[in-house]
Amino acid sequence: MLSLVTVAAVPEHRCFIDGLDNSSYGYFPWNKEDFLHSIPLTSTGDLDSCRMFSSAEGNSSIPCNAYVYDRTYYETSRTIDWNFVCNRRWMGSIVQTIFMLGVFTGAVTLGGLADKVGRKTVFCWSALLQLILGVAVAFIPEYFSFMVARYFLGIFGSAGSYICGFVLTMELVGTSKRTACGIAFQAVFASGIMLVAGWGAVIKDRQILQIVYGLHGLIFIGHWWLLDESPRWLWMQGRCGEAIDIVAKGLSTNRSGIPIDKDYFLQKAKMQQSADDKTSAGLGDLFKTPNLRMKTLNVCLCWFANSLVYYGLSLSSGKLKGNPFLMLFIMGLVEFPSYIVIVFILDRLGRRSITSTLMIAGGLCCIVAANMAQGSSASTAVVMMGKLFIAGSFAVIYNYSAELFPTVVRNSAMGLGSMCARLSGALTPLITLLDSFDPKIPAVTFGALALISGIWVMFLPETMDKAMPESIEDGENFGIGDTWFAQCAGRRESTELESPEQMVPLKTMDKK
């Protein structure tokens, strides 16, 4: 997702001046005295990045015919190869937008597919295609073909592998382990950001760098043999014997010493089967009933706002003053304190209050940073604080969403949330282009949406220490009347499901 920050990095640049330059590379800051007669100054007193004087008299300026790039940190990049700066800057932003639209497409299609054919199937095939495309994209020399490859990489790499992997993780563990596993999943993503920065600092050739990024997909190969399918999904599909075998395998691996009566649970499953097929539920069922519909819309906005701020801050790391690789590395590193704290407090304070508080805090940081001197140490510190807060809320919303929605549509719901997140992710590079009108616009936009969503999250029910709903009926009944305001007024309703008998095997698994 963030590979273009290095592979397509935008270094400092200016016009190529005949007679003064003999190469397309130089070192920033430029010696202004040498170029005062060739390049106009900006309002801040710096050399203009995109224009040059049309004549020696300096009466008017014209766009650059060619560019000189700062090679202090970057030897090559897609931006340098294709001159995606100044009036072509939008073409670089579109590449990231196309990738996010690929993730959007994958969230729409693969989320529902995983609810039909299984989490493991979609995860493993997506992982294989991610490996192939991640390496192949390094060899594409043409712009439009590059965009197409990035589009498909978004479909399988993020939507297929990431979302299915997360859902599978949450469904393989019980209530007491959901927080640790969910947050650890997000922490590995932050480690990936640090790896993007680390490899970028070491490998200067953008083609080799992309190949190295793509080859990380080799880690997935072993999952074809090592990974189990979700027992929750198998149970809801009527494949109860397979589900029980996986739970029994888990009990044995954990050396719990607890036997499991397979015949008892198979008999229980037959008694629970109703005339209608519960496995036919799909994305549309999230909007059919009022309580489930309101939760779905609320969560969708939450994903949208979190992604907008998260990627807005991450993609703008190259604009912060200093070593861009160090800035990106710190962008990943600052997430860890947030994750560590969340692991300890999430099962004490609950999902709702933490998500809301962190989103509001992250939104305020964006707005404050927008009104500070750009590039100053104070501004950079506030941006990093905003990243810390929003990374925490983004991590919690993954757990929160998985716990709010029933098993029969959980992957579809996570896919819908991811779809909203990637829609905002696709808009993020375009919103950052608005800084051409006013540098404050992108950050204020990010902050305002985070504040609005943070307040609306207060109307969601709490899921801490609650059994995950299984059927559509469970999902509709879950959390009715339970809001932050009702809790403060002492009227908190129970979010326990009315029919725990439907989930005896899964509750038994949770307790183990």
Side-chain angles (χ1 to χ4, degrees):
M1 289 187 121
L2 296 175
S3 62
L4 289 186
V5 174
T6 54
V7 173
V10 184
E12 295 287 347
H13 54 276
R14 59 169 174 80
C15 293
F16 181 93
I17 306 299
D18 290 324
L20 294 177
D21 294 309
N22 54 18
S23 170
S24 60
Y25 288 102
Y27 291 95
F28 184 85
W30 325 114
N31 187 343
K32 287 196 293 186
E33 299 300 324
D34 295 340
F35 298 95
L36 287 177
H37 297 294
S38 305
I39 299 176
L41 299 179
T42 65
S43 58
T44 60
D46 299 318
L47 293 174
D48 196 302
S49 312
C50 300
R51 302 188 71 82
M52 59 189 289
F53 288 127
S54 59
S55 63
E57 290 76 19
N59 295 325
S60 60
S61 62
I62 59 173
C64 301
N65 296 318
Y67 297 92
V68 173
Y69 294 97
D70 175 29
R71 67 185 307 166
T72 303
Y73 300 110
Y74 304 106
E75 295 288 341
T76 62
S77 83
R78 291 282 186 179
T79 295
I80 295 173
D81 293 346
W82 290 330
N83 286 328
F84 286 161
V85 293
C86 301
N87 61 346
R88 288 164 59 91
R89 179 185 168 200
W90 64 272
M91 297 180 73
S93 297
I94 286 294
V95 174
Q96 184 68 15
T97 295
I98 291 296
F99 176 85
M100 289 296 188
L101 289 176
V103 184
F104 178 95
T105 304
V108 174
T109 57
L110 299 184
L113 185 63
D115 281 332
K116 291 179 172 60
V117 304
R119 282 68 160 128
K120 179 181 176 180
T121 301
V122 174
F123 172 84
C124 288
W125 278 107
S126 296
L128 178 62
L129 290 168
Q130 176 187 332
L131 170 63
I132 296 170
L133 289 168
V135 174
V137 74
F139 299 96
I140 298 177
E142 191 267 330
Y143 177 64
F144 292 103
S145 301
F146 179 69
M147 284 201 302
V148 171
R150 290 279 301 175
Y151 176 76
F152 283 103
L153 184 58
I155 291 177
F156 299 109
S158 181
S161 299
Y162 195 77
I163 298 299
C164 288
F166 183 82
V167 171
L168 188 50
T169 299
M170 296 299 284
E171 292 184 345
L172 281 169
V173 298
T175 305
S176 64
K177 302 299 185 296
R178 290 203 301 257
T179 294
C181 288
I183 300 303
F185 199 96
Q186 307 305 319
V188 176
F189 187 92
S191 301
I193 296 177
M194 295 162 68
L195 267 178
V196 168
W199 284 122
V202 173
I203 302 172
K204 298 303 181 182
D205 185 276
R206 59 95 179 156
Q207 187 175 60
I208 297 175
L209 180 60
Q210 179 61 58
I211 293 171
V212 170
Y213 287 155
L215 287 176
H216 284 75
L218 288 170
I219 298 171
F220 287 128
I221 298 301
H223 289 68
W224 286 88
W225 300 276
L226 299 176
L227 195 65
D228 288 313
E229 181 57 88
S230 164
R232 293 178 182 273
W233 178 81
L234 290 169
W235 183 272
M236 296 307 295
Q237 297 297 310
R239 296 162 61 179
C240 303
E242 296 173 64
I244 296 168
D245 288 339
I246 292 173
V247 174
K249 176 184 173 182
L251 292 171
S252 174
T253 302
N254 294 337
R255 299 180 180 178
S256 65
I258 302 173
I260 185 167
D261 189 341
K262 184 174 181 177
D263 292 336
Y264 167 78
F265 287 118
L266 286 174
Q267 186 64 31
K268 179 70 68 174
K270 292 179 181 179
M271 295 172 59
Q272 291 171 0
Q273 288 178 350
S274 56
D276 59 310
D277 185 10
K278 293 183 179 180
T279 64
S280 63
L283 191 63
D285 292 278
L286 293 169
F287 298 93
K288 286 182 179 178
T289 52
N291 185 36
L292 200 53
R293 178 169 58 245
M294 190 57 64
K295 286 188 290 190
T296 301
L297 294 174
N298 196 329
V299 168
C300 284
L301 177 62
C302 192
W303 279 78
F304 185 93
N306 269 288
S307 176
L308 193 73
V309 180
Y310 185 91
Y311 291 108
L313 295 176
S314 297
L315 293 173
S316 65
S317 61
K319 298 179 181 178
L320 300 176
K321 298 298 182 183
N323 187 318
F325 303 114
L326 178 61
M327 292 296 107
L328 183 59
F329 185 88
I330 294 174
M331 278 284 188
L333 185 63
V334 296
E335 297 187 22
F336 283 92
S338 180
Y339 296 147
I340 292 170
V341 172
I342 286 173
V343 167
F344 287 104
I345 68 174
L346 193 59
D347 288 331
R348 292 178 173 83
L349 302 182
R351 283 71 165 137
R352 177 177 58 202
S353 59
I354 292 177
T355 303
S356 177
T357 301
L358 291 178
M359 290 195 72
I360 292 172
L364 290 174
C365 284
C366 287
I367 294 173
V368 169
N371 291 280
M372 301 176 72
Q374 190 173 13
S376 65
S377 299
S379 173
T380 300
V382 173
V383 168
M384 293 299 179
M385 286 294 294
K387 181 68 186 303
L388 183 148
F389 291 133
I390 212 66
S393 65
F394 209 175
V396 176
I397 195 60
Y398 273 85
N399 282 48
Y400 202 4
S401 299
E403 294 171 350
L404 276 171
F405 295 102
T407 297
V408 289
V409 288
R410 183 169 295 122
N411 214 99
S412 295
M414 293 293 289
L416 179 62
S418 179
M419 178 185 74
C420 295
R422 305 326 157 196
L423 177 61
S424 67
L427 294 174
T428 299
L430 305 181
I431 293 174
T432 57
L433 294 177
L434 297 176
D435 63 3
S436 301
F437 302 100
D438 188 332
K440 296 181 181 180
I441 292 178
V444 171
T445 302
F446 300 153
L449 271 171
L451 288 174
I452 293 170
S453 180
I455 294 171
W456 200 19
V457 165
M458 296 178 182
F459 291 92
L460 286 173
E462 181 54 68
T463 61
M464 181 175 64
D465 296 329
K466 308 299 179 185
M468 296 169 76
E470 300 300 327
S471 65
I472 293 296
E473 183 181 1
D474 293 337
E476 173 62 16
N477 294 331
F478 185 79
I480 293 178
D482 178 20
T483 68
W484 181 84
F485 303 98
Q487 183 182 14
C488 290
R491 300 195 308 271
R492 181 178 178 183
E493 299 295 329
S494 171
T495 54
E496 289 291 351
L497 300 171
E498 293 182 2
S499 304
E501 187 69 15
Q502 295 177 358
M503 296 180 297
V504 170
L506 296 174
K507 280 199 163 188
T508 303
M509 179 177 66
D510 283 351
K511 292 177 181 177
K512 304 303 188 279

PDB file of all heavy atoms in Angstrom, residues 443-464:
ATOM      1  N   ALA A 443      -5.360  18.754   5.577  1.00  0.00           N
ATOM      2  CA  ALA A 443      -5.332  18.381   6.995  1.00  0.00           C
ATOM      3  C   ALA A 443      -6.636  18.726   7.702  1.00  0.00           C
ATOM      4  O   ALA A 443      -7.132  17.950   8.535  1.00  0.00           O
ATOM      5  CB  ALA A 443      -4.159  19.068   7.696  1.00  0.00           C
ATOM      6  N   VAL A 444      -7.220  19.869   7.382  1.00  0.00           N
ATOM      7  CA  VAL A 444      -8.502  20.247   8.002  1.00  0.00           C
ATOM      8  C   VAL A 444      -9.603  19.294   7.571  1.00  0.00           C
ATOM      9  O   VAL A 444     -10.472  18.909   8.374  1.00  0.00           O
ATOM     10  CB  VAL A 444      -8.860  21.708   7.646  1.00  0.00           C
ATOM     11  CG1 VAL A 444     -10.277  22.031   8.096  1.00  0.00           C
ATOM     12  CG2 VAL A 444      -7.865  22.673   8.294  1.00  0.00           C
ATOM     13  N   THR A 445      -9.593  18.879   6.313  1.00  0.00           N
ATOM     14  CA  THR A 445     -10.585  17.913   5.823  1.00  0.00           C
ATOM     15  C   THR A 445     -10.455  16.588   6.571  1.00  0.00           C
ATOM     16  O   THR A 445     -11.457  16.010   7.016  1.00  0.00           O
ATOM     17  CB  THR A 445     -10.389  17.674   4.317  1.00  0.00           C
ATOM     18  OG1 THR A 445     -10.502  18.911   3.622  1.00  0.00           O
ATOM     19  CG2 THR A 445     -11.438  16.695   3.787  1.00  0.00           C
ATOM     20  N   PHE A 446      -9.219  16.109   6.712  1.00  0.00           N
ATOM     21  CA  PHE A 446      -8.991  14.867   7.448  1.00  0.00           C
ATOM     22  C   PHE A 446      -9.509  14.990   8.882  1.00  0.00           C
ATOM     23  O   PHE A 446     -10.205  14.108   9.399  1.00  0.00           O
ATOM     24  CB  PHE A 446      -7.495  14.531   7.481  1.00  0.00           C
ATOM     25  CG  PHE A 446      -6.865  14.334   6.129  1.00  0.00           C
ATOM     26  CD1 PHE A 446      -5.506  14.573   5.942  1.00  0.00           C
ATOM     27  CD2 PHE A 446      -7.615  13.923   5.047  1.00  0.00           C
ATOM     28  CE1 PHE A 446      -4.915  14.385   4.700  1.00  0.00           C
ATOM     29  CE2 PHE A 446      -7.031  13.743   3.790  1.00  0.00           C
ATOM     30  CZ  PHE A 446      -5.681  13.982   3.621  1.00  0.00           C
ATOM     31  N   GLY A 447      -9.147  16.076   9.539  1.00  0.00           N
ATOM     32  CA  GLY A 447      -9.502  16.257  10.946  1.00  0.00           C
ATOM     33  C   GLY A 447     -10.994  16.366  11.172  1.00  0.00           C
ATOM     34  O   GLY A 447     -11.535  15.794  12.121  1.00  0.00           O
ATOM     35  N   ALA A 448     -11.691  17.098  10.304  1.00  0.00           N
ATOM     36  CA  ALA A 448     -13.134  17.287  10.475  1.00  0.00           C
ATOM     37  C   ALA A 448     -13.886  15.964  10.369  1.00  0.00           C
ATOM     38  O   ALA A 448     -14.795  15.674  11.178  1.00  0.00           O
ATOM     39  CB  ALA A 448     -13.653  18.278   9.430  1.00  0.00           C
ATOM     40  N   LEU A 449     -13.514  15.127   9.390  1.00  0.00           N
ATOM     41  CA  LEU A 449     -14.183  13.828   9.243  1.00  0.00           C
ATOM     42  C   LEU A 449     -13.917  12.917  10.432  1.00  0.00           C
ATOM     43  O   LEU A 449     -14.809  12.193  10.887  1.00  0.00           O
ATOM     44  CB  LEU A 449     -13.726  13.157   7.951  1.00  0.00           C
ATOM     45  CG  LEU A 449     -14.547  13.490   6.700  1.00  0.00           C
ATOM     46  CD1 LEU A 449     -13.888  12.946   5.460  1.00  0.00           C
ATOM     47  CD2 LEU A 449     -15.968  12.959   6.824  1.00  0.00           C
ATOM     48  N   ALA A 450     -12.689  12.964  10.954  1.00  0.00           N
ATOM     49  CA  ALA A 450     -12.369  12.139  12.123  1.00  0.00           C
ATOM     50  C   ALA A 450     -13.196  12.573  13.332  1.00  0.00           C
ATOM     51  O   ALA A 450     -13.674  11.730  14.104  1.00  0.00           O
ATOM     52  CB  ALA A 450     -10.877  12.235  12.438  1.00  0.00           C
ATOM     53  N   LEU A 451     -13.386  13.871  13.517  1.00  0.00           N
ATOM     54  CA  LEU A 451     -14.190  14.374  14.637  1.00  0.00           C
ATOM     55  C   LEU A 451     -15.646  13.929  14.507  1.00  0.00           C
ATOM     56  O   LEU A 451     -16.251  13.470  15.484  1.00  0.00           O
ATOM     57  CB  LEU A 451     -14.115  15.904  14.689  1.00  0.00           C
ATOM     58  CG  LEU A 451     -12.789  16.513  15.159  1.00  0.00           C
ATOM     59  CD1 LEU A 451     -12.828  18.027  15.002  1.00  0.00           C
ATOM     60  CD2 LEU A 451     -12.520  16.144  16.611  1.00  0.00           C
ATOM     61  N   ILE A 452     -16.211  14.066  13.325  1.00  0.00           N
ATOM     62  CA  ILE A 452     -17.612  13.683  13.117  1.00  0.00           C
ATOM     63  C   ILE A 452     -17.816  12.194  13.387  1.00  0.00           C
ATOM     64  O   ILE A 452     -18.749  11.788  14.108  1.00  0.00           O
ATOM     65  CB  ILE A 452     -18.048  14.028  11.674  1.00  0.00           C
ATOM     66  CG1 ILE A 452     -18.070  15.552  11.477  1.00  0.00           C
ATOM     67  CG2 ILE A 452     -19.422  13.434  11.372  1.00  0.00           C
ATOM     68  CD1 ILE A 452     -18.251  15.973  10.031  1.00  0.00           C
ATOM     69  N   SER A 453     -16.954  11.367  12.827  1.00  0.00           N
ATOM     70  CA  SER A 453     -17.089   9.923  13.014  1.00  0.00           C
ATOM     71  C   SER A 453     -16.856   9.532  14.473  1.00  0.00           C
ATOM     72  O   SER A 453     -17.550   8.665  15.006  1.00  0.00           O
ATOM     73  CB  SER A 453     -16.109   9.186  12.108  1.00  0.00           C
ATOM     74  OG  SER A 453     -16.215   7.798  12.275  1.00  0.00           O
ATOM     75  N   GLY A 454     -15.868  10.181  15.121  1.00  0.00           N
ATOM     76  CA  GLY A 454     -15.585   9.867  16.522  1.00  0.00           C
ATOM     77  C   GLY A 454     -16.781  10.094  17.425  1.00  0.00           C
ATOM     78  O   GLY A 454     -17.015   9.333  18.378  1.00  0.00           O
ATOM     79  N   ILE A 455     -17.542  11.123  17.125  1.00  0.00           N
ATOM     80  CA  ILE A 455     -18.752  11.405  17.920  1.00  0.00           C
ATOM     81  C   ILE A 455     -19.846  10.386  17.628  1.00  0.00           C
ATOM     82  O   ILE A 455     -20.533   9.891  18.532  1.00  0.00           O
ATOM     83  CB  ILE A 455     -19.248  12.836  17.633  1.00  0.00           C
ATOM     84  CG1 ILE A 455     -18.218  13.860  18.147  1.00  0.00           C
ATOM     85  CG2 ILE A 455     -20.612  13.080  18.272  1.00  0.00           C
ATOM     86  CD1 ILE A 455     -18.500  15.283  17.734  1.00  0.00           C
ATOM     87  N   TRP A 456     -20.006  10.006  16.357  1.00  0.00           N
ATOM     88  CA  TRP A 456     -21.069   9.066  15.987  1.00  0.00           C
ATOM     89  C   TRP A 456     -20.784   7.654  16.528  1.00  0.00           C
ATOM     90  O   TRP A 456     -21.715   6.889  16.788  1.00  0.00           O
ATOM     91  CB  TRP A 456     -21.241   9.036  14.470  1.00  0.00           C
ATOM     92  CG  TRP A 456     -22.589   8.502  14.055  1.00  0.00           C
ATOM     93  CD1 TRP A 456     -23.709   8.407  14.833  1.00  0.00           C
ATOM     94  CD2 TRP A 456     -22.954   7.972  12.777  1.00  0.00           C
ATOM     95  NE1 TRP A 456     -24.751   7.859  14.123  1.00  0.00           N
ATOM     96  CE2 TRP A 456     -24.315   7.586  12.861  1.00  0.00           C
ATOM     97  CE3 TRP A 456     -22.267   7.806  11.585  1.00  0.00           C
ATOM     98  CZ2 TRP A 456     -24.998   7.031  11.778  1.00  0.00           C
ATOM     99  CZ3 TRP A 456     -22.943   7.258  10.509  1.00  0.00           C
ATOM    100  CH2 TRP A 456     -24.293   6.874  10.603  1.00  0.00           C
ATOM    101  N   VAL A 457     -19.518   7.313  16.695  1.00  0.00           N
ATOM    102  CA  VAL A 457     -19.173   5.993  17.244  1.00  0.00           C
ATOM    103  C   VAL A 457     -19.788   5.796  18.630  1.00  0.00           C
ATOM    104  O   VAL A 457     -20.063   4.662  19.050  1.00  0.00           O
ATOM    105  CB  VAL A 457     -17.636   5.827  17.300  1.00  0.00           C
ATOM    106  CG1 VAL A 457     -17.224   4.659  18.189  1.00  0.00           C
ATOM    107  CG2 VAL A 457     -17.083   5.614  15.897  1.00  0.00           C
ATOM    108  N   MET A 458     -20.046   6.882  19.339  1.00  0.00           N
ATOM    109  CA  MET A 458     -20.637   6.787  20.679  1.00  0.00           C
ATOM    110  C   MET A 458     -22.011   6.116  20.661  1.00  0.00           C
ATOM    111  O   MET A 458     -22.498   5.669  21.708  1.00  0.00           O
ATOM    112  CB  MET A 458     -20.765   8.177  21.295  1.00  0.00           C
ATOM    113  CG  MET A 458     -19.437   8.873  21.539  1.00  0.00           C
ATOM    114  SD  MET A 458     -19.666  10.542  22.210  1.00  0.00           S
ATOM    115  CE  MET A 458     -17.963  11.100  22.323  1.00  0.00           C
ATOM    116  N   PHE A 459     -22.632   6.036  19.499  1.00  0.00           N
ATOM    117  CA  PHE A 459     -23.953   5.415  19.398  1.00  0.00           C
ATOM    118  C   PHE A 459     -23.882   3.912  19.116  1.00  0.00           C
ATOM    119  O   PHE A 459     -24.921   3.246  19.062  1.00  0.00           O
ATOM    120  CB  PHE A 459     -24.771   6.098  18.294  1.00  0.00           C
ATOM    121  CG  PHE A 459     -25.165   7.511  18.620  1.00  0.00           C
ATOM    122  CD1 PHE A 459     -24.360   8.574  18.243  1.00  0.00           C
ATOM    123  CD2 PHE A 459     -26.320   7.777  19.339  1.00  0.00           C
ATOM    124  CE1 PHE A 459     -24.707   9.881  18.544  1.00  0.00           C
ATOM    125  CE2 PHE A 459     -26.691   9.079  19.648  1.00  0.00           C
ATOM    126  CZ  PHE A 459     -25.876  10.135  19.255  1.00  0.00           C
ATOM    127  N   LEU A 460     -22.693   3.368  18.925  1.00  0.00           N
ATOM    128  CA  LEU A 460     -22.545   1.923  18.712  1.00  0.00           C
ATOM    129  C   LEU A 460     -22.597   1.179  20.045  1.00  0.00           C
ATOM    130  O   LEU A 460     -22.231   1.739  21.089  1.00  0.00           O
ATOM    131  CB  LEU A 460     -21.212   1.627  18.021  1.00  0.00           C
ATOM    132  CG  LEU A 460     -21.093   1.975  16.535  1.00  0.00           C
ATOM    133  CD1 LEU A 460     -19.661   1.780  16.063  1.00  0.00           C
ATOM    134  CD2 LEU A 460     -22.045   1.125  15.701  1.00  0.00           C
ATOM    135  N   PRO A 461     -23.012  -0.085  20.043  1.00  0.00           N
ATOM    136  CA  PRO A 461     -22.994  -0.868  21.286  1.00  0.00           C
ATOM    137  C   PRO A 461     -21.585  -1.327  21.634  1.00  0.00           C
ATOM    138  O   PRO A 461     -20.715  -1.408  20.768  1.00  0.00           O
ATOM    139  CB  PRO A 461     -23.892  -2.065  20.957  1.00  0.00           C
ATOM    140  CG  PRO A 461     -23.761  -2.224  19.475  1.00  0.00           C
ATOM    141  CD  PRO A 461     -23.614  -0.837  18.921  1.00  0.00           C
ATOM    142  N   GLU A 462     -21.363  -1.600  22.896  1.00  0.00           N
ATOM    143  CA  GLU A 462     -20.089  -2.141  23.357  1.00  0.00           C
ATOM    144  C   GLU A 462     -20.060  -3.653  23.104  1.00  0.00           C
ATOM    145  O   GLU A 462     -21.079  -4.330  23.237  1.00  0.00           O
ATOM    146  CB  GLU A 462     -19.896  -1.843  24.843  1.00  0.00           C
ATOM    147  CG  GLU A 462     -18.584  -2.330  25.432  1.00  0.00           C
ATOM    148  CD  GLU A 462     -17.396  -1.805  24.645  1.00  0.00           C
ATOM    149  OE1 GLU A 462     -17.153  -0.591  24.677  1.00  0.00           O
ATOM    150  OE2 GLU A 462     -16.743  -2.635  23.981  1.00  0.00           O
ATOM    151  N   THR A 463     -18.896  -4.182  22.715  1.00  0.00           N
ATOM    152  CA  THR A 463     -18.764  -5.614  22.439  1.00  0.00           C
ATOM    153  C   THR A 463     -17.814  -6.316  23.404  1.00  0.00           C
ATOM    154  O   THR A 463     -17.615  -7.526  23.291  1.00  0.00           O
ATOM    155  CB  THR A 463     -18.242  -5.834  21.008  1.00  0.00           C
ATOM    156  OG1 THR A 463     -16.946  -5.229  20.867  1.00  0.00           O
ATOM    157  CG2 THR A 463     -19.181  -5.236  19.975  1.00  0.00           C
ATOM    158  N   MET A 464     -17.245  -5.577  24.336  1.00  0.00           N
ATOM    159  CA  MET A 464     -16.270  -6.173  25.247  1.00  0.00           C
ATOM    160  C   MET A 464     -16.893  -7.308  26.055  1.00  0.00           C
ATOM    161  O   MET A 464     -17.966  -7.166  26.630  1.00  0.00           O
ATOM    162  CB  MET A 464     -15.735  -5.092  26.202  1.00  0.00           C
ATOM    163  CG  MET A 464     -14.692  -5.580  27.182  1.00  0.00           C
ATOM    164  SD  MET A 464     -13.991  -4.235  28.182  1.00  0.00           S
ATOM    165  CE  MET A 464     -15.464  -3.697  29.104  1.00  0.00           C
TER     166      MET A 464
END
